[in-house]
Amino acid sequence: MTTTSGPYLGVPVPMPVVLPDPWVVLRGTDWPSLGTAHGTARRIPRVLAPLLGPDLTVEEARRALNALEPVQHQNTIYEATAPVALCVAAVLGRRAEHHRGEADRVCALLLGLLAGVAHDSDDACVAAHQRYFKEDFLEGYPPMVAVRALRPLLFQAVAPFLDDPDTAVAEDALCSALAFAEHPDLAGHRDGLAGRARRLLLVCDTRWRRWQALDALTAWGHDTTGLARPGDDDRSPYLPSSAWPLCDGDPDNPPF
């Protein structure tokens, strides 16, 4: 698989239809040619490799995901973010088949990384950036385009966990799926996701999850009357707690 010969760095060419083997992503990506927040991604394969092992433990997964911080630093999309997200999605997809769609703690950690990528590349994020650009924002930001091109594949990885018995896992999967379903190829999934979003708004108290659900419903033309609460319009900066694997989702105890 070639990942740097196409129009966008880090996107496989041709784009796979289903999630690829994670080893194909790891070995087929020209990591030294891709940037992160801290230089090139040449060390990323060593970080990702443990995630692909058959006996991956929670601690190994947590260490690896924390070491991937340079591809998500300050909620930013970098050149290496797309292939990292694809590799993690491929691992998650493989584990979903093994666990029959019910997440273990490793799955929950992998899903947390994809939830962060989903938020950092959604339409609301693009619109927020566009306000500061006279030209088309995406034309000048190939790494963002690369991640957004992968949304149909990333959706495949999170969708099996929409009905997970762990509420936090199911909500992470839903909010990720809502963002990925902004891709035109996933329009057919939106009505089903909208029903789930409405149910989430009836029971969920997490601010960032609530406004992701409200944004999706509004963008897709659904009536949100009676679903919003005071404070739902608070869009002050946040970072989903799931983005901190080391601290078990405690936003008051980030890993730095």
Side-chain angles (χ1 to χ4, degrees):
M1 181 180 69
T2 302
T3 60
T4 57
S5 64
Y8 310 121
L9 291 175
V11 172
V13 179
M15 183 77 73
V17 177
V18 297
L19 285 167
D21 186 312
W23 282 110
V24 172
V25 181
L26 184 66
R27 293 168 175 161
T29 299
D30 183 8
W31 298 101
S33 72
L34 303 176
T36 74
H38 308 308
T40 75
R42 63 186 179 86
R43 292 189 177 90
I44 293 296
R46 297 180 190 175
V47 176
L48 286 171
L51 296 177
L52 280 61
D55 301 313
L56 177 66
T57 68
V58 173
E59 288 305 316
E60 288 172 335
R62 185 177 288 115
R63 284 196 298 270
L65 293 173
N66 280 330
L68 291 173
E69 189 273 344
V71 305
Q72 288 186 291
H73 183 65
Q74 294 184 341
N75 296 83
T76 301
I77 300 296
Y78 299 90
E79 290 175 345
T81 306
V84 165
L86 181 59
C87 189
V88 170
V91 172
L92 182 60
R94 187 172 63 181
R95 293 184 71 90
E97 293 179 0
H98 179 73
H99 293 281
R100 298 181 182 274
E102 184 170 324
D104 61 0
R105 292 180 64 194
V106 171
C107 290
L109 291 172
L110 299 174
L111 184 59
L113 181 141
L114 295 179
V117 171
H119 165 261
D120 296 338
S121 60
D122 67 9
D123 287 353
C125 185
V126 171
H129 281 88
Q130 186 61 56
R131 290 196 291 269
Y132 300 97
F133 288 81
K134 293 182 179 179
E135 305 299 328
D136 183 85
F137 165 68
L138 288 175
E139 284 188 6
Y141 199 175
M144 178 72 84
V145 175
V147 168
R148 287 168 63 83
L150 290 174
R151 287 177 291 176
L153 288 169
L154 304 183
F155 181 89
Q156 292 178 29
V158 304
F161 301 100
L162 288 169
D163 293 314
D164 197 89
D166 185 321
T167 300
V169 169
E171 290 181 354
D172 255 355
L174 174 58
C175 288
S176 302
L178 290 172
F180 296 145
E182 292 172 343
H183 192 286
D185 289 354
L186 297 176
H189 294 275
R190 293 175 186 170
D191 284 346
L193 292 173
R196 294 176 181 273
R198 295 179 70 88
R199 291 192 291 273
L200 179 145
L201 289 167
L202 295 176
V203 299
C204 181
D205 297 322
T206 305
R207 174 168 55 91
W208 68 273
R209 283 174 170 156
R210 291 188 59 78
W211 56 254
Q212 282 185 307
L214 286 166
D215 279 357
L217 289 172
T218 301
W220 299 341
H222 292 268
D223 184 6
T224 60
T225 302
L227 295 176
R229 299 178 184 174
D232 279 347
D233 58 350
D234 179 5
R235 302 304 176 92
S236 55
Y238 82 96
L239 185 64
S241 60
S242 58
W244 302 122
L246 184 63
C247 61
D248 280 328
D250 180 3
D252 296 321
N253 182 31
F256 50 77

